[in-house]
Structures are given as structure tokens and as C-alpha cells.
Amino acid sequence: MAVKIRLRRVGAKKQPAYRVVVADEKKARNGAFIENIGHYNPRTDPPTLVLHEARVLYWLQQGAQPTESVASLLKRNKTLEKFEMLKKGGSPMPVADAGAEAEPPAQS
């Protein structure tokens, strides 16, 4: 069974919203799925993406393949970077910005 992480369309006619789900690749787009791991609304400004990141990383480790659209969302959300770090044996902690200071702010 090949497992995919993909978008499942919900919402009214001409008002799309999507659930990010883990599903067998042979099932229909809006058919049966294994787990709901987030949602995406492209109609808001900026588009809303909410993911249960721990579950996304779990499914990626189990071999689930994201579709092209989900992969671009995961790249934008920096989840694929965390997965690559996890594969290399590093910590999946957020990557610090280059401009961030290492010292805590002084208290007065």
C-alpha cells in the first residue's frame, strides 16, 4: 500500500478549502483517508496553513510521499527542512535565523 500526503477538497461550490490528509494513493481524492493532519485555506489573505507537525514528520518517516502541492506547502512551512534534519540525525528544532542573537535580552 503506497501512502500519500495530499489535499482533500472541502467547502462549498467555488469556495474551496482543503484538509491535509494521509491516504492510500488508490483511494479517490475525497474518499477514505487514514488521518487528517491539518487544513489549508487559500482564500484568506495570506493563505492559512495549519499542520499537526509532529504527525506530518511521523508519516514522512513512515515513507508517506507528499504530492507536489503538499510538498510546496511543506517547504513554505519549513517542515521539509525539519524532516531532512531529522533524517540526518539532527534535532527537528526550528532553524535559528542568522540575524538572531544568541544572548537573552537584558532585564532592567
Side-chain angles (χ1 to χ4, degrees), residues 49-61:
L49 175 64
V50 177
L51 291 173
H52 190 286
E53 196 167 81
R55 295 306 294 168
V56 174
L57 292 173
Y58 168 80
W59 282 107
L60 289 171
Q61 287 176 331

Side-chain angles (χ1 to χ4, degrees), residues 17-36:
Y18 301 91
R19 301 275 185 249
V20 182
V21 297
V22 178
D24 181 7
E25 72 178 350
K26 294 180 181 177
K27 299 294 181 183
R29 178 192 71 180
N30 290 338
F33 60 92
I34 300 168
E35 184 178 358
N36 182 1

Side-chain angles (χ1 to χ4, degrees), residues 39-90:
H39 59 87
Y40 171 62
N41 187 352
R43 296 183 315 120
T44 59
D45 189 26
T48 306
L49 175 64
V50 177
L51 291 173
H52 190 286
E53 196 167 81
R55 295 306 294 168
V56 174
L57 292 173
Y58 168 80
W59 282 107
L60 289 171
Q61 287 176 331
Q62 298 305 311
Q65 295 295 312
T67 60
E68 288 181 30
S69 54
V70 172
S72 69
L73 292 173
L74 293 176
K75 284 179 189 173
R76 190 180 321 158
N77 201 32
K78 302 205 190 275
T79 303
L80 281 183
E81 281 183 26
K82 293 176 187 175
F83 176 63
E84 292 299 325
M85 288 180 64
L86 197 60
K87 275 196 336 190
K88 292 178 183 174

Side-chain angles (χ1 to χ4, degrees), residues 4-25:
K4 295 273 188 183
I5 300 175
R6 64 181 181 199
L7 296 176
R8 179 176 198 250
R9 191 183 192 280
V10 295
K13 184 177 182 180
K14 300 198 182 220
Q15 296 181 4
Y18 301 91
R19 301 275 185 249
V20 182
V21 297
V22 178
D24 181 7
E25 72 178 350

